Amino acid sequence: MSALLATGDRRHDQELRIRGLTAAEHRAFLATRPGASFLQYPSWAGVKDRWTSETVGWHSGSGELTGAALVLYRQFPGTRKYFAYLPEGPVADWADPDLDGWLGPLMAHLRRAGAFAVRIGPSPAYRRWDSGRLKAATGPGRTVSDVLASEVDPLGAAVAERLRARGWHRCGGDGGEDADAQPRHVFQVPLAGRTPDQLWSGLNQEWRRNVRRAEKSGVRIVIGGEAELPEFHRLLRITEERDGFRLGRSLAYYQQQYAVLNAEQPGRMRLYLAVHQGEILAAHTMISTGRRVWYQTGASADHRREVRPSNALQWRMMLDAHGLGADVHDMRGVPSTLDPDDRPFGLLRWKLGTGGQVVETLGEWETSVGGATNNTLYRAFQAYLARR
């Protein structure tokens, strides 16, 4: 999509300028930002091959690269206009009080590229809840937001206000997390400054008991490869049916993801397998970049669940993440319900046992890029999505 290649913002009233980055330039910058999401790496464009894409960077007057973004573009049916999406990005200085200094050039660039609207995922956290506080607050009709947070991130609150003041809106509003493409509530286990013994002590009694049971039952944890992806996907379909959710991802999707991410960096995506009596009973995928590790997708069989293969898998992944020098083991999305009778609560309960935290991100934010035509098209786009 050559029309989307950046030519730079040449306006003299802007200190920062936008221009296209090569994949190598982009990766080199992200190496200096070890907390960046894997969704902002160049390889993710190869996973989302139904979107066109580009990587852009902010350059100061001296030529220093100060920020970068992977931008995905989806064409609006029947037009030559595009919806621009920066998943869990851009990777920029969200603490900079001069938000317009770098957001303005980005919006101008996207408008020139043919975008009518843009969605971003700011990186600062908003609120955090410790596991113990949430366990004590479970009850009928209760949600995470009903509980006083253990920590409120002042930067997250400030970024939210700055975006609102500039006409951005939080997708789905303050309570509408289903409108986000990426999970608004995630579960994170802090690793920095902790020893493996301290991580073990952080697990609750049930988790420690289940990990020991898996070991005594002869469950082996091994690293699989591309050849085991079909078995992983078969188990994933079983898990979806059992737990009542649907990811809608084909085997080909995971095969492409595995190939593309590991081509960018060997070992970036790993497939962990729990094997018992020669059979794969559970399989989890893990993605690592810099000092962050993500548990992305988990699957398990319906039988022999008493040997607790999934607990053993997560414990091994947590230890490996610690060994890689990660600051955080991110277990990705969790539901916001604290009602034990709600089916989704089971996933949150399982993750709470690791002793980590529920983190409410700022979620995803959208706006039109401006102009009467783009504003009209954006309203039509929102109506189109509402009907799907």
Side-chain angles (χ1 to χ4, degrees):
M1 190 173 179
S2 59
L4 295 177
L5 293 177
T7 56
D9 187 350
R10 305 302 183 188
R11 293 179 298 168
H12 295 296
D13 60 341
Q14 293 286 357
E15 180 183 355
L16 296 177
R17 299 179 180 181
I18 291 277
R19 72 166 179 83
L21 297 177
T22 66
E25 288 175 321
H26 193 183
R27 285 192 294 268
F29 175 77
L30 293 178
T32 69
R33 303 294 191 275
S37 170
F38 67 93
L39 299 174
Q40 276 294 297
Y41 274 70
S43 56
W44 196 248
V47 177
K48 309 300 289 185
D49 60 356
R50 294 186 180 182
W51 299 63
T52 50
S53 64
E54 67 169 341
T55 54
V56 298
W58 286 262
H59 292 78
S60 66
S62 63
E64 179 189 4
L65 183 60
T66 62
L70 169 66
V71 187
L72 302 176
Y73 293 94
R74 194 69 175 263
Q75 190 169 6
F76 186 63
T79 75
R80 295 183 178 179
K81 290 285 191 173
Y82 299 86
F83 178 72
Y85 179 38
L86 287 68
E88 296 188 0
V91 182
D93 184 6
W94 289 99
D96 185 353
D98 183 19
L99 194 67
D100 294 324
W102 59 266
L103 199 54
L106 174 66
M107 297 297 287
H109 171 75
L110 296 176
R111 189 161 49 246
R112 289 194 303 272
F116 64 88
V118 59
R119 176 184 288 200
I120 60 176
S123 60
Y126 184 39
R127 294 183 289 182
R128 299 175 185 271
W129 292 264
D130 293 334
S131 291
R133 180 169 295 198
L134 292 178
K135 288 177 187 175
T138 58
R142 301 275 288 174
T143 67
V144 170
S145 61
D146 293 330
V147 182
L148 182 67
S150 305
E151 178 186 344
V152 177
D153 190 322
L155 176 58
V159 169
E161 289 307 310
R162 290 169 186 168
L163 289 173
R164 287 192 185 97
R166 288 157 178 79
W168 291 76
H169 70 270
R170 200 180 192 190
C171 298
D174 288 337
E177 59 188 275
D178 288 343
D180 295 329
Q182 306 304 325
R184 184 177 296 187
H185 290 89
V186 299
F187 196 88
Q188 296 180 350
V189 180
L191 304 178
R194 302 174 70 187
T195 66
D197 285 344
Q198 289 171 329
L199 294 176
W200 176 255
S201 298
L203 303 180
N204 68 14
Q205 289 184 354
E206 182 181 4
W207 260 80
R208 293 196 297 268
R209 183 171 60 248
N210 288 341
V211 172
R212 290 191 185 106
R213 181 177 299 169
E215 293 174 349
K216 291 179 180 178
S217 300
V219 174
R220 295 184 301 109
I221 307 302
V222 299
I223 307 297
E226 184 178 3
E228 285 75 36
L229 285 173
E231 181 62 12
F232 158 73
H233 193 258
R234 186 186 72 82
L235 292 173
L236 182 59
R237 298 296 297 272
I238 292 172
T239 305
E240 290 176 332
E241 180 68 24
R242 180 181 67 238
D243 294 346
F245 68 91
R246 181 70 174 162
L247 292 176
R249 304 297 190 194
S250 67
L251 171 60
Y253 176 89
Y254 289 103
Q255 289 171 327
Q256 182 163 335
Q257 184 185 89
Y258 187 86
V260 170
L261 268 59
N262 288 323
E264 183 173 62
Q265 179 176 314
R268 171 147 292 164
M269 179 176 177
R270 297 183 184 181
L271 177 63
Y272 283 75
L273 308 173
V275 181
H276 184 251
Q277 296 179 359
E279 181 183 0
I280 299 173
L281 292 183
H284 294 179
T285 59
M286 186 176 96
I287 298 175
S288 59
T289 65
R291 290 201 296 267
R292 286 186 70 184
V293 165
W294 291 262
Y295 156 49
Q296 188 192 24
T297 306
S300 61
D302 282 341
H303 61 287
R304 265 185 272 160
R305 302 186 70 191
E306 70 279 2
V307 300
R308 304 300 180 184
S310 293
N311 295 89
L313 275 176
Q314 277 302 310
W315 174 239
R316 167 67 184 276
M317 290 167 66
M318 202 180 301
L319 289 178
D320 285 359
H322 183 273
L324 289 170
D327 292 333
V328 174
H329 178 56
D330 192 321
M331 299 179 76
R332 293 297 279 171
V334 290
S336 59
T337 180
L338 292 177
D339 189 335
D341 292 330
D342 284 349
R343 192 174 187 179
F345 176 75
L347 176 63
L348 174 58
R349 179 184 178 278
W350 187 72
K351 294 183 180 181
L352 286 173
T354 64
Q357 297 178 319
V358 170
V359 180
E360 181 184 5
T361 70
L362 283 184
E364 297 186 324
W365 296 69
E366 283 185 1
T367 189
S368 164
V369 299
T373 300
N374 290 328
N375 291 341
T376 299
L377 190 54
Y378 180 44
R379 289 193 293 270
F381 179 71
Q382 291 176 305
Y384 165 76
L385 291 179
R387 292 195 301 269
R388 293 179 64 184

